[in-house]
Amino acid sequence: GIPQEFEFGNRGVVVNVVCSQEPAVNCLAGTLDRTRHELVFWVFEPPSRDIRRLFAVDYDMRKGLSWTLSPDGTRIAINRNYLDHAEIEIYSLGGVFTRRVRVNGFNRFSSIDWAADGSSWFVGTGTATGCSLLRVFQDGRDQVLLNMRGRDMRTFAIPSPRGKRLAVMGWTINRNVWMVDRIDRLLESQ
């Protein structure tokens, strides 16, 4: 298993931890270096507590911040949102940028996970009416798997290791504010 405590010290705020599928044994942690505006990737191999820096990429919180490790543990996919589209950037563990997949029609990606076979991604995205769960293929095509309506909706999905099942999570953040003048009078009358 994964050790319960890792010392990241001044390495930054941990934003995600992802492990590859067997037989690979590597795990990655991503931290934010707010001073340099970088997302820094660190590798570790449980049960060892040794952590090694891999590389860093520039980030802009306005463009979203979601990433994942490929099932075979060799590639990292990062979401980037723009005004009229979204992109998925692929990097090797050595930090070499290998490709960019443009996805038109969506620009609020909030989560990403690889399909079990590594051929596509499951992406949660905000929409005008709530959120959607997409399957994004490597050529940029997308398939809407689920639509959820409501305010401040979010969703993500994680496939089973063999790809036969898909765990889907959806949630919302509701904010209701009530103000009652002279609450003391109302309570006294009870």
Side-chain angles (χ1 to χ4, degrees):
I2 298 173
Q4 294 197 358
E5 294 181 15
F6 281 92
E7 179 57 48
F8 279 86
N10 61 0
R11 293 180 175 124
V13 177
V14 177
V15 293
N16 197 8
V17 176
V18 181
C19 295
S20 60
Q21 294 178 10
E22 290 185 42
V25 294
N26 58 327
C27 296
L28 296 186
T31 61
L32 294 182
D33 181 332
R34 292 187 173 143
T35 305
R36 294 188 176 108
H37 296 281
E38 290 180 332
L39 171 60
V40 183
F41 293 100
W42 307 86
V43 66
F44 58 97
E45 295 180 7
S48 170
R49 290 180 182 235
D50 295 332
I51 301 170
R52 183 174 47 90
R53 186 182 194 274
L54 291 175
F55 67 97
V57 295
D58 291 337
Y59 80 89
D60 180 343
M61 290 298 282
R62 296 170 297 182
K63 293 181 180 176
L65 183 61
S66 184
W67 65 270
T68 191
L69 178 64
S70 63
D72 66 2
T74 62
R75 296 165 290 161
I76 298 170
I78 302 173
N79 286 342
R80 302 274 188 172
N81 294 310
Y82 297 93
L83 290 176
D84 62 345
H85 70 283
E87 294 178 352
I88 299 171
E89 295 177 351
I90 309 301
Y91 292 85
S92 72
L93 290 188
V96 176
F97 171 80
T98 59
R99 69 182 300 200
R100 177 175 288 120
V101 177
R102 181 182 171 119
V103 182
N104 293 313
F106 298 95
N107 66 347
R108 291 172 42 202
F109 283 6
S110 58
S111 67
I112 185 168
D113 278 286
W114 289 84
D117 64 3
S119 67
S120 61
W121 303 273
F122 295 105
V123 176
T125 184
T127 65
T129 60
C131 66
S132 293
L133 178 63
L134 309 175
R135 185 167 190 178
V136 176
F137 299 92
Q138 295 200 18
D139 62 3
R141 291 179 298 119
D142 63 82
Q143 175 187 15
V144 177
L145 302 175
L146 174 69
N147 284 310
M148 295 171 47
R149 296 180 60 100
R151 291 183 48 167
D152 296 321
M153 301 291 292
R154 300 286 187 272
T155 189
F156 69 88
I158 300 173
S160 63
R162 291 192 181 104
K164 303 274 186 203
R165 292 187 170 88
L166 187 64
V168 177
M169 174 71 171
W171 72 94
T172 185
I173 303 168
N174 274 329
R175 287 168 262 144
N176 292 324
V177 177
W178 297 85
M179 186 166 68
V180 178
D181 287 329
R182 300 298 312 237
I183 188 74
D184 55 334
R185 282 190 190 168
L186 180 62
L187 294 175
E188 288 173 4
S189 67
Q190 302 259 328

